[in-house]
Amino acid sequence: MEHMTALAMALVTLGAILAGYRVAFVLAGSAALFILVSDIPIAFFNLILSRIYATALSNWILVAVPMFILMGYILEKSGVAEQALHASQKAFGGSPFGMVVSVLFVGVLLAASSGIVGASVVLLALIAMPRLVDAGLDRQTAAGLVASSGTLAILIPPSVMLIILGDQLQVPVGDMFAGAIGPGLLMFILYGLYAGYRTIGLPKMAGHVSPPAWRTLIDVGPLILLVICVLGSIINGLATPTEASGLGALGAIFIAMIYRRFSIAKLMESARETVRTSCMVFAVLVGAVCFSAVFRRVGGDELILSAASFFGDGPWTIMFVVMGGIFILGFFLDWLEITLIILPIFAPLIATLDFGNGLVGTELVVWFGVLVAINLQTSFLTPPFGFALFYLQGVMGKQIRATEIYRGVAPFVAIQLITLVLVFLFPVIITGLIPN
């Protein structure tokens, strides 16, 4: 009977989300509904309130989320990120392959400086998409390159996703940041190899003159320095993620001032966007706390674990089932909902398993967390609800069809899955940079 209640709760929640209702309200509302219709005492509401306070409202590490978001919006609204993109295009854009390198380079730079997929995809689409097509790259490949480069913002630190994952897995966020660097750079290389292959035979762009190196350094150098300072301070233990996020936001303001692009109006616009985005994140977080507490109380964790054991009870089998489930859910749900619903159930189980790769303790959990992050990255590119696809289609309008975008991103989704397999087989790609 407990399993039937848990199954009904899962189906009602998924159905309401797919029907278009706000995820945060669906999660919290589903929790309240099944407290009332099940045999859970009404006093359980008090326990949920205490969990909300302990998990979200008094969690100091989550302060880093709005601060990193603010850093990204300041760099976007002030035009600093756009300036870096123009500079890299001028430096590398003398050939179609140079254009590919410039888009990937700025994608990584935007990822490391903002962590906001929407901002990265929109900026790359507006500035780089026309140049890629002019360089001779077909629209499908150009769309796939722009969309996938933008999704690096969710994997390469500092990333909001990695902060949430670290909090849910109860591991240091600095270790999550360090563990994601290797897979992020590997994906960058594989993207470049594929897109470079697509440029073979295309003629060099006429009339291009590369600027002197000092000019490019002036335009890009401060942004690179900011990223190094923020990440370096976290990974080396010089600052907590919360402290480093404040440093990043202040540094973004200073950079905007250096380039004479700062204004109170732009700061206020960035602050308003930060509030909107942060409210969305924390509303879903609170809703997920409610849902998780009730779902577990009605036997949801036993339901999921028994369903997973249907395929076998070996460590690798369980891991493949979890990863397969996350990938499929990514077609329909956002990464945040998947993280907050799935991780509390499976993370404790994964931490007890022996995969025969020598990983134990924190290293094992970080390895699992980064695997989840790579897997969740595909959710931004997989139809019908891939957000990067929506951003790109919204910017490009009638210049490109949705089917062209879908075909264009398919090879890059395959590259993400190849990266996932390589990290499975060679955990050192993740653990190699984690401080001892």
Side-chain angles (χ1 to χ4, degrees), residues 218-258:
I218 288 175
D219 290 335
V220 181
L223 198 55
I224 296 177
L225 182 62
L226 175 64
V227 171
I228 292 174
C229 289
V230 171
L231 291 185
S233 63
I234 296 173
I235 293 173
N236 292 315
L238 301 177
T240 66
T242 303
E243 295 164 343
S245 65
L247 172 67
L250 184 61
I253 293 174
F254 282 153
I255 291 176
M257 288 179 172
I258 291 172

Side-chain angles (χ1 to χ4, degrees), residues 129 138-145 400 403-405 407-409 412:
M129 186 76 177
D138 62 275
R139 289 189 301 180
Q140 290 182 192
T141 303
L145 177 64
I400 187 169
T403 53
E404 290 181 298
I405 297 177
R407 289 196 295 267
V409 301
F412 292 93

Side-chain angles (χ1 to χ4, degrees), residues 382-400:
T382 49
F385 299 116
F387 284 100
L389 310 180
F390 293 157
Y391 295 136
L392 183 57
Q393 182 72 62
V395 172
M396 300 308 298
K398 296 181 180 180
Q399 299 179 52
I400 187 169

Side-chain angles (χ1 to χ4, degrees), residues 170-345:
Q170 296 297 298
V171 295
V173 174
D175 288 356
M176 290 295 297
F177 281 3
I181 291 175
L185 295 180
L186 174 61
M187 199 173 295
F188 168 85
I189 293 171
L190 294 177
Y191 282 171
L193 290 175
Y194 171 73
Y197 166 76
R198 300 291 295 179
T199 65
I200 293 176
L202 297 178
K204 186 174 181 178
M205 298 174 67
H208 175 80
V209 178
S210 296
W214 63 266
R215 180 70 256 179
T216 303
L217 186 61
I218 288 175
D219 290 335
V220 181
L223 198 55
I224 296 177
L225 182 62
L226 175 64
V227 171
I228 292 174
C229 289
V230 171
L231 291 185
S233 63
I234 296 173
I235 293 173
N236 292 315
L238 301 177
T240 66
T242 303
E243 295 164 343
S245 65
L247 172 67
L250 184 61
I253 293 174
F254 282 153
I255 291 176
M257 288 179 172
I258 291 172
Y259 290 128
R260 297 181 180 180
R261 292 173 175 265
F262 176 79
S263 69
I264 297 298
K266 291 177 180 178
L267 177 61
M268 294 305 296
E269 184 181 2
S270 300
R272 284 191 292 270
E273 291 296 328
T274 299
V275 170
R276 292 191 186 98
T277 304
S278 300
C279 286
M280 180 274 294
V281 172
F282 282 95
V284 175
L285 179 59
V286 170
V289 171
C290 301
F291 177 85
S292 178
V294 178
F295 191 61
R296 283 187 166 188
R297 181 60 183 261
V298 299
D301 48 357
E302 291 89 353
L303 171 66
I304 293 179
L305 292 176
S306 62
S309 64
F310 174 79
F311 298 93
D313 56 1
W316 286 103
T317 301
I318 293 175
M319 178 67 84
F320 289 146
V321 170
V322 172
M323 289 297 158
I326 290 175
F327 178 73
I328 293 172
L329 287 174
F331 282 81
F332 308 103
L333 300 179
D334 184 35
W335 69 268
L336 188 58
E337 297 97 68
I338 299 173
T339 299
L340 297 176
I341 294 172
I342 296 297
L343 278 194
I345 296 173

